[in-house]
Coordinates of all heavy atoms in Angstrom, one line a residue:
M113 N 47.3 19.4 -12.0 CA 47.2 20.6 -12.9 C 48.4 20.7 -13.8 O 49.5 20.6 -13.4 CB 47.1 21.8 -12.0 CG 47.0 23.1 -12.8 SD 46.6 24.5 -11.7 CE 48.2 25.3 -11.6
P114 N 48.1 20.8 -15.1 CA 49.2 20.9 -16.0 C 49.9 22.3 -15.9 O 49.4 23.3 -15.5 CB 48.5 20.8 -17.4 CG 47.1 21.2 -17.2 CD 46.8 20.8 -15.7
L115 N 51.2 22.3 -16.4 CA 51.9 23.5 -16.4 C 51.4 24.3 -17.7 O 51.3 23.8 -18.7 CB 53.4 23.3 -16.6 CG 54.1 22.6 -15.5 CD1 55.6 22.3 -15.8 CD2 54.1 23.5 -14.2
K116 N 51.1 25.6 -17.5 CA 50.6 26.4 -18.5 C 51.6 27.5 -18.8 O 51.9 28.3 -17.9 CB 49.3 27.1 -18.2 CG 48.1 26.2 -18.1 CD 46.9 27.0 -17.9 CE 45.7 26.1 -17.6 NZ 44.5 26.9 -17.2
A117 N 52.2 27.6 -19.9 CA 53.2 28.7 -20.3 C 52.4 30.0 -20.4 O 52.9 31.0 -19.9 CB 53.9 28.3 -21.5
G118 N 51.3 30.0 -21.0 CA 50.6 31.2 -21.3 C 51.1 31.9 -22.5 O 52.1 31.4 -23.2
T119 N 50.5 33.0 -22.9 CA 51.0 33.8 -24.1 C 51.0 35.2 -23.7 O 50.4 35.6 -22.7 CB 50.0 33.5 -25.3 OG1 48.8 34.1 -25.0 CG2 49.9 32.1 -25.6
A120 N 51.5 36.0 -24.6 CA 51.5 37.5 -24.4 C 50.1 38.1 -24.4 O 49.9 39.1 -23.7 CB 52.4 38.2 -25.5
K121 N 49.2 37.5 -25.1 CA 47.9 38.0 -25.2 C 46.9 37.3 -24.3 O 45.8 37.8 -24.2 CB 47.4 37.9 -26.7 CG 48.2 38.9 -27.6 CD 47.6 38.9 -28.9 CE 48.3 40.0 -29.8 NZ 47.6 40.2 -31.1
S122 N 47.2 36.2 -23.7 CA 46.3 35.5 -22.8 C 46.2 36.1 -21.5 O 47.2 36.6 -20.9 CB 46.6 34.0 -22.7 OG 47.4 33.7 -21.6
G123 N 45.1 36.2 -20.9 CA 44.9 36.7 -19.6 C 44.8 35.7 -18.5 O 44.4 35.9 -17.4
A124 N 45.3 34.4 -18.8 CA 45.2 33.3 -17.9 C 46.0 33.6 -16.6 O 47.2 33.7 -16.7 CB 45.7 32.0 -18.6
A125 N 45.3 33.8 -15.5 CA 46.0 34.2 -14.3 C 46.8 33.0 -13.7 O 47.7 33.2 -12.9 CB 44.9 34.6 -13.3
D126 N 46.5 31.8 -14.1 CA 47.2 30.6 -13.6 C 48.4 30.2 -14.5 O 48.9 29.1 -14.4 CB 46.3 29.5 -13.3 CG 45.6 29.0 -14.6 OD1 45.5 29.7 -15.6 OD2 45.0 27.9 -14.5
S127 N 48.8 31.0 -15.4 CA 49.9 30.7 -16.3 C 51.3 31.1 -15.8 O 51.3 32.0 -14.9 CB 49.7 31.3 -17.7 OG 49.9 32.7 -17.7
M128 N 52.3 30.5 -16.3 CA 53.7 30.9 -15.9 C 53.9 32.4 -16.4 O 54.6 33.1 -15.7 CB 54.7 30.0 -16.5 CG 56.1 30.2 -15.9 SD 57.4 29.1 -16.4 CE 56.8 27.5 -15.7
T129 N 53.4 32.7 -17.5 CA 53.6 34.1 -18.0 C 53.0 35.1 -17.0 O 53.7 36.1 -16.7 CB 53.0 34.3 -19.4 OG1 53.6 33.4 -20.4 CG2 53.1 35.7 -19.9
A130 N 51.8 34.9 -16.5 CA 51.2 35.8 -15.6 C 52.0 35.8 -14.3 O 52.2 36.9 -13.7 CB 49.8 35.3 -15.3
A131 N 52.6 34.7 -13.9 CA 53.4 34.7 -12.7 C 54.7 35.5 -12.9 O 55.1 36.2 -11.9 CB 53.8 33.2 -12.3
I132 N 55.3 35.4 -14.0 CA 56.5 36.2 -14.3 C 56.2 37.7 -14.4 O 56.9 38.5 -13.8 CB 57.2 35.7 -15.6 CG1 57.7 34.3 -15.5 CG2 58.3 36.7 -16.1 CD1 58.2 33.6 -16.8
V133 N 55.1 38.0 -15.0 CA 54.7 39.5 -15.0 C 54.5 40.0 -13.6 O 55.0 41.0 -13.2 CB 53.4 39.7 -15.8 CG1 52.8 41.1 -15.6 CG2 53.6 39.4 -17.3
S134 N 53.8 39.2 -12.8 CA 53.5 39.6 -11.4 C 54.8 39.8 -10.6 O 55.0 40.7 -9.9 CB 52.6 38.6 -10.7 OG 52.4 38.9 -9.4
A135 N 55.7 38.8 -10.8 CA 57.0 38.9 -10.1 C 57.9 40.0 -10.5 O 58.5 40.7 -9.7 CB 57.8 37.6 -10.3
F136 N 57.8 40.3 -11.8 CA 58.6 41.5 -12.4 C 58.0 42.8 -11.8 O 58.8 43.7 -11.4 CB 58.5 41.5 -13.9 CG 59.4 42.5 -14.5 CD1 60.7 42.4 -14.6 CD2 58.8 43.7 -15.0 CE1 61.5 43.4 -15.2 CE2 59.6 44.7 -15.6 CZ 61.0 44.5 -15.7
E137 N 56.7 42.9 -11.7 CA 56.1 44.1 -11.2 C 56.5 44.3 -9.7 O 56.9 45.4 -9.4 CB 54.6 44.0 -11.3 CG 54.0 44.1 -12.7 CD 52.5 43.9 -12.7 OE1 51.9 43.7 -11.7 OE2 52.0 43.9 -13.9
A138 N 56.5 43.3 -8.9 CA 56.9 43.4 -7.5 C 58.4 43.7 -7.4 O 58.8 44.5 -6.6 CB 56.6 42.0 -6.8
E139 N 59.2 43.1 -8.2 CA 60.6 43.3 -8.2 C 61.0 44.8 -8.6 O 61.8 45.4 -8.0 CB 61.4 42.3 -9.1 CG 62.9 42.4 -9.0 CD 63.4 42.1 -7.6 OE1 62.7 41.4 -6.8 OE2 64.5 42.6 -7.2
W140 N 60.3 45.2 -9.6 CA 60.4 46.6 -10.1 C 60.2 47.6 -8.9 O 61.0 48.5 -8.7 CB 59.5 46.9 -11.2 CG 59.5 48.3 -11.7 CD1 59.0 49.4 -11.1 CD2 60.1 48.8 -12.9 NE1 59.2 50.6 -11.8 CE2 59.8 50.2 -13.0 CE3 60.7 48.2 -14.0 CZ2 60.3 51.0 -14.1 CZ3 61.1 49.0 -15.0 CH2 60.9 50.3 -15.1
E141 N 59.0 47.4 -8.3 CA 58.7 48.4 -7.2 C 59.6 48.3 -6.0 O 60.0 49.3 -5.4 CB 57.2 48.1 -6.8 CG 56.3 48.5 -7.9 CD 54.8 48.3 -7.6 OE1 54.5 47.7 -6.5 OE2 54.0 48.6 -8.5
A142 N 60.1 47.0 -5.7 CA 61.1 46.9 -4.6 C 62.4 47.4 -4.9 O 63.1 48.1 -4.1 CB 61.2 45.4 -4.3
A143 N 62.9 47.2 -6.1 CA 64.2 47.7 -6.5 C 64.3 49.2 -6.8 O 65.3 49.8 -6.5 CB 64.7 46.9 -7.7
K144 N 63.2 49.7 -7.4 CA 63.3 51.1 -7.8 C 62.6 52.0 -6.9 O 62.6 53.3 -7.0 CB 62.6 51.2 -9.2 CG 63.5 50.6 -10.3 CD 62.9 51.0 -11.6 CE 63.9 50.7 -12.8 NZ 64.5 51.8 -13.3
D145 N 61.9 51.5 -5.9 CA 61.1 52.3 -5.0 C 60.2 53.2 -5.7 O 60.0 54.4 -5.4 CB 62.0 53.1 -4.0 CG 61.9 52.7 -2.6 OD1 61.0 51.9 -2.3 OD2 62.7 53.2 -1.8
D146 N 59.6 52.7 -6.8 CA 58.8 53.5 -7.7 C 57.6 52.6 -8.2 O 57.9 51.4 -8.4 CB 59.7 54.0 -8.8 CG 59.2 55.3 -9.5 OD1 58.4 56.0 -8.9 OD2 59.7 55.5 -10.6
P147 N 56.5 53.2 -8.4 CA 55.4 52.3 -8.9 C 55.7 51.8 -10.3 O 56.4 52.4 -11.1 CB 54.2 53.3 -9.0 CG 54.5 54.5 -8.2 CD 56.0 54.5 -8.2
F148 N 55.3 50.6 -10.5 CA 55.5 49.9 -11.8 C 54.7 50.7 -12.9 O 53.5 50.9 -12.7 CB 55.1 48.5 -11.8 CG 55.4 47.7 -13.0 CD1 56.7 47.5 -13.4 CD2 54.3 47.2 -13.8 CE1 56.9 46.7 -14.6 CE2 54.6 46.5 -14.9 CZ 55.9 46.3 -15.3
P149 N 55.3 51.0 -14.0 CA 54.6 51.8 -15.0 C 53.7 51.0 -15.9 O 52.9 51.6 -16.7 CB 55.7 52.4 -15.9 CG 56.9 51.4 -15.7 CD 56.7 50.9 -14.4
G150 N 53.7 49.7 -15.8 CA 52.8 48.9 -16.6 C 53.7 48.1 -17.7 O 54.8 48.5 -18.0
T151 N 53.1 47.0 -18.1 CA 53.8 46.2 -19.1 C 53.4 46.6 -20.5 O 52.3 47.0 -20.8 CB 53.4 44.7 -18.9 OG1 52.0 44.5 -19.0 CG2 53.9 44.1 -17.6
T152 N 54.4 46.4 -21.4 CA 54.1 46.6 -22.8 C 53.9 45.2 -23.5 O 54.2 44.2 -22.9 CB 55.3 47.3 -23.5 OG1 56.5 46.4 -23.4 CG2 55.7 48.6 -22.8
L153 N 53.4 45.2 -24.7 CA 53.3 44.0 -25.4 C 54.6 43.3 -25.6 O 54.7 42.1 -25.4 CB 52.6 44.2 -26.8 CG 52.5 43.0 -27.7 CD1 51.6 41.9 -26.9 CD2 51.9 43.3 -29.0
E154 N 55.7 44.1 -25.8 CA 57.0 43.5 -26.0 C 57.5 42.8 -24.7 O 58.1 41.7 -24.8 CB 58.0 44.5 -26.4 CG 57.8 45.0 -27.9 CD 56.7 46.0 -28.0 OE1 56.1 46.5 -27.0 OE2 56.3 46.3 -29.2
M155 N 57.2 43.4 -23.6 CA 57.6 42.8 -22.3 C 56.8 41.5 -22.1 O 57.4 40.4 -21.7 CB 57.3 43.7 -21.1 CG 58.2 44.9 -21.1 SD 57.6 46.1 -19.8 CE 58.1 45.3 -18.3
K156 N 55.5 41.5 -22.4 CA 54.7 40.3 -22.3 C 55.2 39.2 -23.2 O 55.2 38.0 -22.9 CB 53.2 40.6 -22.5 CG 52.6 41.4 -21.3 CD 51.2 41.6 -21.6 CE 50.5 42.4 -20.5 NZ 49.1 42.7 -20.7
M157 N 55.6 39.6 -24.4 CA 56.2 38.6 -25.4 C 57.4 38.0 -24.8 O 57.6 36.7 -24.9 CB 56.4 39.3 -26.7 CG 55.2 39.7 -27.5 SD 55.5 40.8 -28.9 CE 56.7 39.9 -29.8
L158 N 58.3 38.8 -24.2 CA 59.5 38.2 -23.7 C 59.2 37.3 -22.5 O 59.7 36.1 -22.5 CB 60.4 39.3 -23.1 CG 61.7 38.9 -22.4 CD1 62.6 38.1 -23.2 CD2 62.4 40.1 -21.8
F159 N 58.3 37.7 -21.6 CA 57.9 36.8 -20.5 C 57.3 35.5 -21.0 O 57.5 34.4 -20.4 CB 57.0 37.6 -19.5 CG 57.6 38.8 -18.9 CD1 56.7 39.8 -18.5 CD2 58.9 38.9 -18.7 CE1 57.3 41.0 -17.9 CE2 59.5 40.1 -18.2 CZ 58.6 41.1 -17.8
A160 N 56.4 35.6 -22.0 CA 55.8 34.4 -22.6 C 56.8 33.5 -23.2 O 56.7 32.3 -23.1 CB 54.7 34.8 -23.6
A161 N 57.8 34.0 -23.9 CA 58.8 33.2 -24.5 C 59.6 32.5 -23.5 O 59.9 31.3 -23.6 CB 59.7 34.1 -25.4
V162 N 60.0 33.2 -22.4 CA 60.7 32.6 -21.3 C 59.9 31.4 -20.7 O 60.4 30.3 -20.5 CB 61.1 33.6 -20.2 CG1 61.7 32.9 -19.0 CG2 62.2 34.6 -20.8
A163 N 58.6 31.7 -20.4 CA 57.7 30.7 -19.8 C 57.6 29.5 -20.7 O 57.7 28.4 -20.2 CB 56.4 31.3 -19.5
R164 N 57.4 29.7 -22.0 CA 57.2 28.6 -22.9 C 58.5 27.8 -23.0 O 58.5 26.6 -23.0 CB 56.9 29.1 -24.3 CG 56.6 28.0 -25.3 CD 56.1 28.4 -26.6 NE 54.8 29.0 -26.4 CZ 54.3 30.0 -27.1 NH1 55.0 30.5 -28.0 NH2 53.1 30.5 -26.8
G165 N 59.7 28.4 -23.0 CA 60.9 27.7 -23.0 C 61.1 26.9 -21.8 O 61.6 25.7 -21.8
V166 N 60.8 27.4 -20.6 CA 60.9 26.7 -19.3 C 60.0 25.5 -19.3 O 60.4 24.4 -19.0 CB 60.7 27.6 -18.1 CG1 60.5 26.8 -16.8 CG2 61.7 28.7 -18.0
V167 N 58.7 25.7 -19.7 CA 57.8 24.6 -19.7 C 58.2 23.5 -20.7 O 58.2 22.3 -20.4 CB 56.4 25.1 -20.0 CG1 55.4 23.9 -20.3 CG2 55.8 25.9 -18.9
Q168 N 58.7 23.9 -21.9 CA 59.1 22.9 -22.9 C 60.4 22.1 -22.4 O 60.5 20.9 -22.5 CB 59.4 23.6 -24.2 CG 58.2 24.0 -24.9 CD 58.5 24.9 -26.2 OE1 59.6 25.3 -26.4 NE2 57.5 25.1 -27.0
H169 N 61.3 22.8 -21.7 CA 62.5 22.2 -21.2 C 62.1 21.2 -20.1 O 62.7 20.1 -20.0 CB 63.5 23.3 -20.7 CG 64.7 22.7 -20.1 ND1 65.7 22.2 -20.9 CD2 65.1 22.5 -18.8 CE1 66.7 21.8 -20.2 NE2 66.3 21.9 -18.9
L170 N 61.2 21.6 -19.2 CA 60.8 20.7 -18.1 C 60.2 19.5 -18.6 O 60.4 18.4 -18.2 CB 59.9 21.4 -17.1 CG 60.5 22.5 -16.3 CD1 59.4 23.3 -15.5 CD2 61.6 22.0 -15.4
A171 N 59.3 19.7 -19.6 CA 58.6 18.5 -20.2 C 59.5 17.6 -20.9 O 59.4 16.4 -20.9 CB 57.5 19.0 -21.1
A172 N 60.5 18.1 -21.6 CA 61.4 17.3 -22.4 C 62.4 16.6 -21.5 O 63.1 15.6 -21.9 CB 62.2 18.2 -23.4
N173 N 62.6 17.1 -20.3 CA 63.6 16.5 -19.4 C 63.0 16.0 -18.1 O 63.6 16.1 -17.0 CB 64.7 17.6 -19.1 CG 65.5 17.9 -20.3 OD1 66.3 17.2 -20.7 ND2 65.1 19.0 -20.9
H174 N 61.8 15.5 -18.2 CA 61.1 15.0 -17.0 C 61.8 13.9 -16.2 O 61.7 13.8 -15.0 CB 59.7 14.5 -17.4 CG 59.7 13.4 -18.4 ND1 59.9 12.1 -18.0 CD2 59.6 13.4 -19.7 CE1 59.9 11.3 -19.1 NE2 59.7 12.1 -20.2
E175 N 62.7 13.2 -16.9 CA 63.4 12.1 -16.2 C 64.4 12.7 -15.2 O 64.9 12.0 -14.3 CB 64.1 11.2 -17.2 CG 65.3 11.8 -17.9 CD 64.9 12.7 -19.1 OE1 63.7 12.7 -19.5 OE2 65.8 13.3 -19.7
A176 N 64.7 14.0 -15.2 CA 65.6 14.6 -14.3 C 65.0 14.7 -12.9 O 65.7 14.9 -11.9 CB 66.1 15.9 -14.8
F177 N 63.7 14.7 -12.8 CA 63.0 14.8 -11.5 C 62.9 13.5 -10.8 O 62.5 12.5 -11.4 CB 61.6 15.3 -11.7 CG 61.6 16.8 -12.2 CD1 61.6 17.0 -13.6 CD2 61.5 17.8 -11.3 CE1 61.6 18.3 -14.0 CE2 61.5 19.1 -11.8 CZ 61.6 19.4 -13.1
K178 N 63.3 13.5 -9.6 CA 63.2 12.3 -8.7 C 62.3 12.6 -7.6 O 62.3 13.7 -7.0 CB 64.6 11.9 -8.1 CG 65.7 11.7 -9.2 CD 65.5 10.6 -10.1 CE 66.6 10.4 -11.1 NZ 66.2 9.9 -12.3
V179 N 61.4 11.6 -7.3 CA 60.4 11.8 -6.3 C 60.7 10.7 -5.2 O 60.8 9.5 -5.5 CB 59.0 11.6 -6.9 CG1 58.0 11.7 -5.8 CG2 58.8 12.6 -8.0
Q180 N 60.7 11.2 -4.0 CA 60.8 10.2 -2.9 C 59.5 10.2 -2.1 O 59.0 11.3 -1.7 CB 62.0 10.6 -1.9 CG 62.1 9.5 -0.8 CD 63.4 9.7 -0.1 OE1 64.2 10.6 -0.4 NE2 63.6 9.0 1.0
I181 N 58.9 9.1 -1.9 CA 57.7 8.9 -1.2 C 57.9 8.2 0.1 O 58.5 7.1 0.1 CB 56.6 8.2 -2.1 CG1 56.4 8.9 -3.4 CG2 55.3 8.0 -1.3 CD1 55.7 8.2 -4.5
T182 N 57.6 8.8 1.2 CA 57.7 8.1 2.5 C 56.3 7.9 3.1 O 55.6 8.8 3.4 CB 58.6 9.0 3.4 OG1 59.8 9.3 2.8 CG2 58.8 8.2 4.7
S183 N 56.0 6.6 3.2 CA 54.7 6.2 3.8 C 54.9 5.0 4.6 O 54.7 3.9 4.1 CB 53.7 6.1 2.7 OG 52.5 5.6 3.2
G184 N 55.4 5.1 5.8 CA 55.7 3.9 6.6 C 57.0 3.2 6.2 O 57.7 2.8 7.0
G185 N 57.3 3.2 4.9 CA 58.5 2.6 4.4 C 59.3 3.7 3.7 O 59.0 4.9 3.8
N186 N 60.2 3.3 2.9 CA 60.9 4.3 2.0 C 60.9 3.8 0.6 O 61.3 2.7 0.3 CB 62.4 4.4 2.5 CG 63.0 5.6 2.1 OD1 62.4 6.5 1.4 ND2 64.3 5.8 2.4
A187 N 60.3 4.6 -0.3 CA 60.2 4.3 -1.7 C 60.6 5.4 -2.5 O 60.6 6.6 -2.1 CB 58.7 3.9 -2.0
T188 N 61.1 5.2 -3.7 CA 61.5 6.2 -4.6 C 60.8 6.0 -5.9 O 60.3 5.0 -6.2 CB 63.0 6.3 -4.9 OG1 63.4 5.0 -5.4 CG2 63.8 6.5 -3.6
G189 N 60.7 7.1 -6.7 CA 60.1 7.0 -8.0 C 60.7 8.1 -8.9 O 61.5 8.8 -8.5
I190 N 60.2 8.0 -10.1 CA 60.6 9.0 -11.1 C 59.4 9.7 -11.7 O 58.3 9.1 -11.6 CB 61.5 8.4 -12.2 CG1 60.7 7.4 -13.0 CG2 62.8 7.9 -11.7 CD1 61.4 7.0 -14.3
V191 N 59.6 10.9 -12.3 CA 58.5 11.5 -13.0 C 58.5 11.0 -14.4 O 59.5 11.2 -15.1 CB 58.7 13.1 -12.9 CG1 57.6 13.8 -13.7 CG2 58.7 13.6 -11.5
N192 N 57.4 10.4 -14.8 CA 57.4 9.8 -16.2 C 56.9 10.8 -17.2 O 57.2 10.7 -18.4 CB 56.4 8.6 -16.2 CG 56.9 7.5 -15.4 OD1 58.1 7.2 -15.4 ND2 56.1 6.8 -14.7
E193 N 56.2 11.9 -16.8 CA 55.7 12.8 -17.7 C 55.3 14.1 -17.0 O 54.9 14.1 -15.8 CB 54.4 12.3 -18.3 CG 53.7 13.2 -19.3 CD 52.5 12.5 -19.9 OE1 52.1 11.4 -19.6 OE2 51.8 13.2 -20.7
I194 N 55.5 15.2 -17.6 CA 55.0 16.5 -17.1 C 53.9 17.0 -18.0 O 54.1 17.2 -19.2 CB 56.1 17.5 -17.0 CG1 57.2 17.1 -15.9 CG2 55.6 18.9 -16.6 CD1 58.4 18.0 -15.8
E195 N 52.7 17.2 -17.5 CA 51.6 17.6 -18.3 C 51.7 19.1 -18.6 O 51.9 19.9 -17.7 CB 50.3 17.3 -17.5 CG 49.0 17.5 -18.4 CD 47.8 17.1 -17.6 OE1 47.9 16.5 -16.5 OE2 46.7 17.4 -18.1
T196 N 51.5 19.4 -19.8 CA 51.5 20.8 -20.3 C 50.3 21.1 -21.1 O 49.6 20.2 -21.6 CB 52.8 21.2 -21.1 OG1 52.8 20.4 -22.3 CG2 54.1 20.8 -20.3
T197 N 50.0 22.4 -21.2 CA 48.9 22.8 -22.1 C 49.5 23.8 -23.1 O 50.5 24.4 -23.0 CB 47.8 23.5 -21.4 OG1 48.2 24.6 -20.7 CG2 47.1 22.6 -20.4

């Protein structure tokens, strides 16, 4: 599955933007002991920009990821590409 940054206006539940919104709502309620008042377009824009920056950074620096595969023996590999949408 490719990494999806998402946008402020997209309702894609499987995007990084949606995950950040959800985490922020939970953190708000835990930290403030108060119901989350809801997101504004500006908040969603900020979350989408952060998500897009993270996805772009990960894709541009895929060689930083190292993968170790153990299957009877010991092998190592690298991530050649990170799929994004």
Side-chain angles (χ1 to χ4, degrees):
M113 179 170 102
L115 294 176
K116 290 183 190 174
T119 67
K121 291 188 175 186
S122 93
D126 61 344
S127 71
M128 190 177 294
T129 298
I132 292 171
V133 169
S134 177
F136 186 76
E137 290 174 2
E139 188 60 28
W140 176 286
E141 292 177 359
K144 292 189 166 257
D145 245 355
D146 207 15
F148 184 67
T151 55
T152 63
L153 178 59
E154 289 78 9
M155 290 170 75
K156 288 181 181 178
M157 289 168 55
L158 173 63
F159 299 153
V162 169
R164 183 172 296 147
V166 168
V167 168
Q168 288 173 349
H169 180 77
L170 292 175
N173 295 283
H174 58 83
E175 70 280 352
F177 292 87
K178 304 293 182 217
V179 178
Q180 183 170 355
I181 303 166
T182 305
S183 177
N186 198 4
T188 59
I190 61 168
V191 176
N192 293 321
E193 180 181 0
I194 294 177
E195 188 177 351
T196 64
T197 59

